[in-house]
Amino acid sequence: MSRIVMKFGGTSVATVERIRNVAAHVKREVDAGHEVAVVVSAMAGATNQLVAWTREASPLHDAREYDAIVASGEQITSGLLAIVLQSMGVAARSFQGWQIPLRTDEAHGSARIASIDGETLISRMTDAQVPVIAGFQGIAPNNRIATLGRGGSDTSAVAVAAAVNADRCDIYTDVDGVYTTDPRIVPQARRLDRIAFEEMLEMASLGAKVLQVRSVEMAMVHKVRVFVRSSFDAPDAPQGQAGGLPPGTLICDEDEIVEHQVVTGIAYTKDEAQITLRRVQDRPGVAAGVFGPLADAAINVDMIVQNISEDGKTTDITFTLPTSDQPRALEILNAKQNEIGFAALNTEADACKVSVIGIGMRSHAGVAAQAFEALAKRGVNIRAITTSEIKISVLIDTAYAELAVRTLHSVYGLDKA
C-alpha cells in the first residue's frame, strides 16, 4: 500500500473532540494498510495566545526564547493526538522537530529548512507505528528550537513527505480543496480535481490562502504530490472518486494533468499599496538604488512598471507592496531621495491585485485582451498590469475587487461544470 503523510491544521485540532475526529481519519488510513506519519499544527488560537504572552512579557524579546515559547503549541497537539491514537489501538509516538531531526538555518521566527533525516521516521513507519510530528519547528545550528514562520506546518509536512519518500502528502484543512476562485465571492466557483505545482504556486502567492507559499515551492522542487482535503468530512465517508482519490484537489506535476484549461483560476489580494517615483534619473543602477534598500528591510515588492517621463529624459517607476509595509517603505525612500534622484513621490493605498492563472495560457493567444475587454465593459479601471507565461495580474481599486473577480471568472467559463 501507500506511504502517506497527513497534516492537520489548527482548526482541525481546535479541541480534544476534534482531535478524536483527526485520530479517526488517521486510523482509517492505518486500517487500510498504509504507512502513515502525521504532522500537526497548534490548536486554533493557541499560537496567538503564546505570541500575546511573549509580547506582554517584553515587547523587545529574544527571538530564541520566542521560538521556545510558540513552538510549545504544536508539542501539546502532537502529544494529545498520540494519546488518542493509542487509546484507539493505533501504535503512535509524538516527535518534536529536534527529535527527527529537522534542521534549519539560524533565522529564528522565520527559519528555512536546511535538511531533514527521514531514517528514524521510516523505521517507525515500517514497524507499523505512526509518528505524530509537531509541525512549524526544527533545530537551528545553535541547538535551539527554531520556528518556520506562520503556516510553517504545511512546509514541515511537505519536507517530511520528501524525506520519507511518501507517495502523497495529504493536507487536511477547513476547506475541501482548491477552488477556481473564492466561493464566498463567486458561489459558482468549482473545486479543481487537479492543479499543477506552478499554478498552485501562483494561486498561493497571489491571495489563495489554502496553502503556504513555501510549502508549494518545496513540493514542486521535490516532486511531492500534495492532496488538499477537508478534515470535517466524516472519517468513514466513501474515499473513492475519479483517479482513485477521495474528494479534494491533487497538486501535482503538469504531466499528470491530461487536459489543461486555458485558465485554471482567479486569485486576488487586497490591502495593496502603490508607490510611484516621479522623474527618476534614467541611469544604470537606479533600480537597484530603489529596490535594494527595500529588500534589505525585508519589504516584498511585487508589480513593477517603469515608463519614460513626460520630458523624455527621466523615468517614472511604479510598484506595489503590502499596505502594512507602506509606512516603512516611504520612510526609506524619502531618506534616500537625493541618493536615488527622484523629483516626487506619490502613493495610494486601497488597491487590489486580481490575477488570471493557467498553464494553458502558454499556448493560447488573446487571453490578456479578453480580460482587459471584459473589465472595461464593466467600468473597471486598470492602474497597472504585469504578466508572465501563466499569469496576468491587474491592479485596480479595491471597491471593484469583487466585480472584477466575478467578471473574469465568468468570461473564462470557470463557472461552467
Side-chain angles (χ1 to χ4, degrees), residues 16-75:
V16 173
E17 190 56 39
R18 288 192 181 176
I19 289 174
R20 293 189 195 281
N21 181 67
V22 164
H25 281 284
V26 175
K27 187 175 188 300
R28 180 194 64 235
E29 302 296 349
V30 172
D31 290 345
H34 301 303
E35 293 180 358
V36 177
V38 184
V39 177
V40 292
S41 298
M43 300 167 78
T47 302
N48 288 339
Q49 180 62 73
L50 293 167
V51 170
W53 284 336
T54 305
R55 289 175 177 165
E56 183 180 350
S58 174
L60 300 174
H61 46 261
D62 188 315
R64 291 163 296 186
E65 300 307 331
Y66 170 90
D67 276 356
I69 295 165
V70 298
S72 65
E74 283 72 16
Q75 181 174 330

Side-chain angles (χ1 to χ4, degrees), residues 8 15-16 45 84 124 135 151 171 186 214 216 256 290 304 369:
F8 295 90
T15 64
V16 173
V84 172
R124 296 295 182 112
I171 305 288
V186 183
R214 280 167 58 189
V216 183
E256 287 195 57
V290 173
I304 302 174

Side-chain angles (χ1 to χ4, degrees), residues 113-357:
I113 296 172
S115 66
I116 178 170
D117 187 348
E119 290 304 313
T120 299
L121 299 177
I122 291 172
S123 175
R124 296 295 182 112
M125 294 165 76
T126 54
D127 286 342
Q129 187 177 89
V130 176
V132 183
I133 302 156
F136 175 62
Q137 61 176 258
I139 183 167
N142 56 12
N143 285 330
R144 301 286 307 184
I145 292 173
T147 62
L148 307 180
R150 296 307 291 263
S153 292
D154 285 349
T155 305
S156 297
V158 174
V160 168
V164 302
N165 298 311
D167 296 281
R168 205 173 70 226
C169 178
D170 289 359
I171 305 288
Y172 286 77
T173 71
D174 51 2
V175 296
D176 62 351
V178 180
Y179 280 72
T180 49
T181 196
D182 189 341
R184 293 171 298 181
I185 292 179
V186 183
Q188 298 84 6
R190 294 180 296 105
R191 187 181 68 210
L192 298 164
D193 290 330
R194 293 172 186 249
I195 183 171
F197 289 125
E198 289 180 79
E199 292 172 320
M200 190 64 234
L201 186 58
E202 293 286 6
M203 294 278 279
S205 64
L206 294 168
K209 295 179 171 57
V210 177
L211 289 175
Q212 188 204 43
V213 175
R214 280 167 58 189
S215 69
V216 183
E217 289 175 345
M218 183 169 290
M220 184 165 64
V221 168
H222 295 283
K223 303 294 185 186
V224 175
R225 300 164 83 240
V226 176
F227 191 67
V228 179
R229 57 186 301 187
S230 174
S231 62
F232 297 107
D233 289 341
D236 57 355
Q239 295 298 297
Q241 68 167 10
L245 292 168
T249 301
L250 180 67
I251 304 163
C252 57
D253 195 85
E254 184 179 346
D255 295 340
E256 287 195 57
I257 301 175
V258 177
E259 186 176 350
H260 292 291
Q261 292 277 93
V262 176
V263 171
T264 298
I266 311 296
Y268 72 98
T269 174
K270 296 183 180 180
D271 298 321
E272 294 279 318
Q274 178 181 335
I275 294 177
T276 300
L277 303 181
R278 300 289 186 187
R279 299 186 295 284
V280 183
Q281 295 302 312
D282 193 8
R283 53 181 170 77
V286 68
V290 173
F291 299 112
L294 298 178
D296 292 340
I299 294 175
N300 184 34
V301 172
D302 187 17
M303 306 174 77
I304 302 174
V305 179
Q306 185 170 348
N307 298 308
I308 298 297
S309 299
E310 293 175 0
D311 58 15
K313 298 177 182 178
T314 56
T315 185
D316 293 344
I317 299 176
T318 298
F319 58 92
T320 64
L321 71 171
T323 303
S324 58
D325 288 332
Q326 184 185 24
R328 288 195 301 137
L330 294 176
E331 183 180 349
I332 291 168
L333 293 170
N334 284 321
K336 291 186 173 291
Q337 180 172 4
N338 293 333
E339 184 179 330
I340 296 170
F342 60 87
L345 185 156
N346 298 334
T347 184
E348 294 181 62
D350 199 31
C352 172
K353 180 173 58 183
V354 180
S355 302
V356 178
I357 298 156

